[in-house]
Amino acid sequence: MSEPLAIAPVSAPVKGTIRPPGSKSLTNRALVVAALAEGPSRLTGVLDCTDTVVMIDSLARLGIDVRHDPAACTADVAGCGGRIPSKSADLWLENSGTSIRFLTALATLGHGTFRLDGNARMRQRPIRDLVDALGRLGANVSCEANGCPPVVVEAHGLPGGKTSVAGDVSSQYLSALLMAAPCAAAPVEIAVEGQLVSLPYVDMTMGVMAKFGVVADTSAARRFRIAPQPYRGTEYDIEPDASAASYFFAAAAITGGEVTVRGLSRYALQGDVGFVDVLEEMGCRVDWRPDAITLHGGQLRGIDVDMNAISDTAQTLAVVALFAEGPTRIRNIAHIRHKETDRIGAIAAELQKLGLRVEVNADGLTIHPGPMQPGTVATYDDHRMAMSFALLGLKVPGIRIADPQCTAKTYPHYFDDLRTLCGT
């Protein structure tokens, strides 16, 4: 664990332009689809972080050639045509939920035994719904204990057929099934049970699939049909990470500044660009351009907001809410209790430690602005706790972030970029 990092308050509104690194969510989806494609693919804008490194390493263990150049932000992937070359592999996924869920489905396309595992927190994160859904498609997948990893896949190809998957814990289950489905032996039909959380991430998955030549039939409500068809190798440029961009937009919001994020637009594949709509509702002004978004800070007011679709930015909003007039209620995010940590519980604990009033309920929390005391924010080995709560220190003296290196999971150079943008 790294030493705590003191955050220097800014003396003026934050103003500047930045392009965050490539999207982790898009990078891992593009790597999986490119790996399954017929023919080679070249990915640009590839994010170099823990989550993508474990994905690339695991694909190599599965016999898929990925040549990653971190300095150039590229990856050349030799597609396997939907046929996993290795006959056995042990995959270590740290705490990367996208990696273990996507690769569990991908491994069913092989022929052999594959075991997927991760760190202590990963062994607490549910995956039973995905395992059961794959079983209904004829795959032999099991959890070693309690419906959580380690996962063992006794693969003999994916037969296909009809299945269902719960939608209220993680959209990654559905995304995993969708990406593997075109390589099944027979058509796959997936029915979603219950509310589907984080819907924009499913749209993102289908957007990446379409870039590689595969389109799912979504004509029936809450059902996805995919016929056997090949992915085609292609060149694919990965957008900057919209979730990471939320921290820089928030810096402008809480300091009354102006920040432009290059490489994103209203039409980005990532639903988290919608975070700026939330900031606009709180009193900021947004300029949309074809290749950039500029946010102008304003007088902030508390709001009541459903963040189910953009829940990865809930922690960012929790910090912005502290500088608004009136309370902010963030709701419909119960599923973030199953992320890298219990994010609802972590937000509440750390804000209460700083002297603030927070009301917690089943599906979210209400945050009341007030005077804050200095302190060290625990980050729970959660990159988003570290990145979002660092913004507090831009306005409140004496804020330190515990274990700042946990940001390496998705954004290794976050604090360098924040310093540069803020001029501190």
Side-chain angles (χ1 to χ4, degrees):
M1 183 175 291
S2 52
E3 290 296 315
L5 176 69
I7 306 298
V10 296
S11 57
V14 172
K15 295 187 177 182
T17 299
I18 191 167
R19 182 185 174 102
S23 162
K24 181 264 291 189
S25 298
L26 282 174
T27 296
N28 269 354
R29 283 165 171 80
L31 285 167
V32 166
V33 172
L36 293 174
E38 291 186 354
S41 295
R42 183 169 180 81
L43 311 180
T44 56
V46 172
L47 176 64
D48 180 34
C49 70
T50 300
D51 277 20
T52 57
V53 167
V54 297
M55 173 64 82
I56 290 168
D57 175 73
S58 294
L59 290 174
R61 292 174 184 272
L62 293 170
I64 297 161
D65 183 21
V66 181
R67 302 192 180 186
H68 179 209
D69 184 340
C73 301
T74 61
D76 291 290
V77 185
C80 70
R83 296 174 293 278
I84 308 302
S86 293
K87 301 303 180 187
S88 66
D90 286 310
L91 310 183
W92 180 259
L93 288 316
E94 293 286 349
N95 193 17
S96 176
T98 57
S99 298
I100 200 164
R101 290 158 181 165
F102 296 172
L103 289 171
T104 295
L106 181 146
T108 65
L109 302 172
H111 292 267
T113 301
F114 308 98
R115 185 175 185 270
L116 301 89
D117 198 3
N119 63 16
R121 174 57 182 168
M122 178 65 86
R123 289 186 169 199
Q124 298 171 345
R125 298 180 69 177
I127 199 169
R128 170 70 68 191
D129 289 335
L130 175 60
V131 167
D132 291 346
L134 288 166
R136 287 187 283 271
L137 294 176
N140 184 358
V141 187
S142 61
C143 299
E144 290 188 357
N146 302 322
C148 298
V151 177
V152 176
V153 180
E154 297 286 350
H156 50 84
L158 186 61
K162 294 184 178 182
T163 191
S164 59
V165 66
D168 60 349
V169 176
S170 175
S171 65
Q172 292 170 5
Y173 301 153
L174 176 56
S175 288
L177 293 166
L178 286 169
M179 287 188 287
C183 303
V188 169
E189 181 176 313
I190 307 162
V192 178
E193 296 181 343
Q195 179 190 19
L196 179 57
V197 299
S198 303
L199 178 60
Y201 284 89
V202 177
D203 294 335
M204 180 195 303
T205 299
M206 293 192 294
V208 174
M209 293 168 63
K211 292 290 186 180
F212 287 78
V214 169
V215 177
D217 177 359
T218 58
S219 57
R222 308 179 71 79
R223 289 183 182 273
F224 300 79
R225 297 184 180 90
I226 306 97
Q229 56 192 294
Y231 289 113
R232 296 188 299 270
T234 190
E235 293 190 6
Y236 183 69
D237 187 46
I238 293 163
E239 297 171 351
D241 195 303
S243 305
S246 75
Y247 310 119
F248 305 118
F249 290 131
I254 66 177
T255 66
E258 176 186 307
V259 169
T260 297
V261 174
R262 293 186 292 109
L264 292 175
S265 73
R266 172 70 80 181
Y267 306 104
L269 276 180
Q270 300 165 81
D272 279 358
V273 295
F275 179 72
V276 295
D277 293 322
V278 178
L279 294 181
E280 188 172 41
E281 185 180 350
M282 295 183 80
C284 297
R285 181 166 61 85
V286 182
D287 294 332
W288 298 92
R289 297 198 296 279
D291 61 348
I293 304 170
T294 300
L295 185 126
H296 308 264
Q299 184 66 43
L300 297 173
R301 55 183 175 269
I303 58 173
D304 183 321
V305 58
D306 182 334
M307 295 198 75
N308 183 275
I310 55 171
S311 60
D312 273 352
T313 63
Q315 289 144 297
T316 320
L317 186 65
V319 171
V320 174
L322 301 174
F323 302 96
E325 285 194 13
T328 292
R329 183 186 177 199
I330 303 172
R331 53 187 169 78
N332 205 9
I333 56 168
H335 61 285
I336 72 171
R337 291 187 181 276
H338 304 291
K339 295 281 190 175
E340 282 79 349
T341 187
D342 172 357
R343 287 180 171 168
I344 292 175
I347 291 169
E350 296 312 301
L351 291 182
Q352 289 164 352
K353 190 167 69 178
L354 297 174
L356 291 151
R357 179 182 162 209
V358 183
E359 301 167 25
V360 178
N361 52 50
D363 79 333
L365 64 174
T366 301
I367 296 163
H368 296 266
M372 281 172 267
Q373 58 197 38
T376 299
V377 176
T379 49
Y380 306 82
D381 197 25
D382 183 349
H383 55 131
R384 300 210 185 279
M385 284 296 294
M387 291 188 282
S388 57
F389 274 74
L391 302 173
L392 266 182
L394 301 182
K395 294 279 284 184
V396 180
I399 297 296
R400 302 200 313 164
I401 301 300
D403 191 24
Q405 288 185 6
C406 71
T407 62
K409 186 175 191 295
T410 57
Y411 199 161
H413 304 296
Y414 171 71
F415 289 105
D416 293 334
D417 286 354
L418 185 63
R419 288 188 196 98
T420 299
L421 183 70
C422 295
T424 58

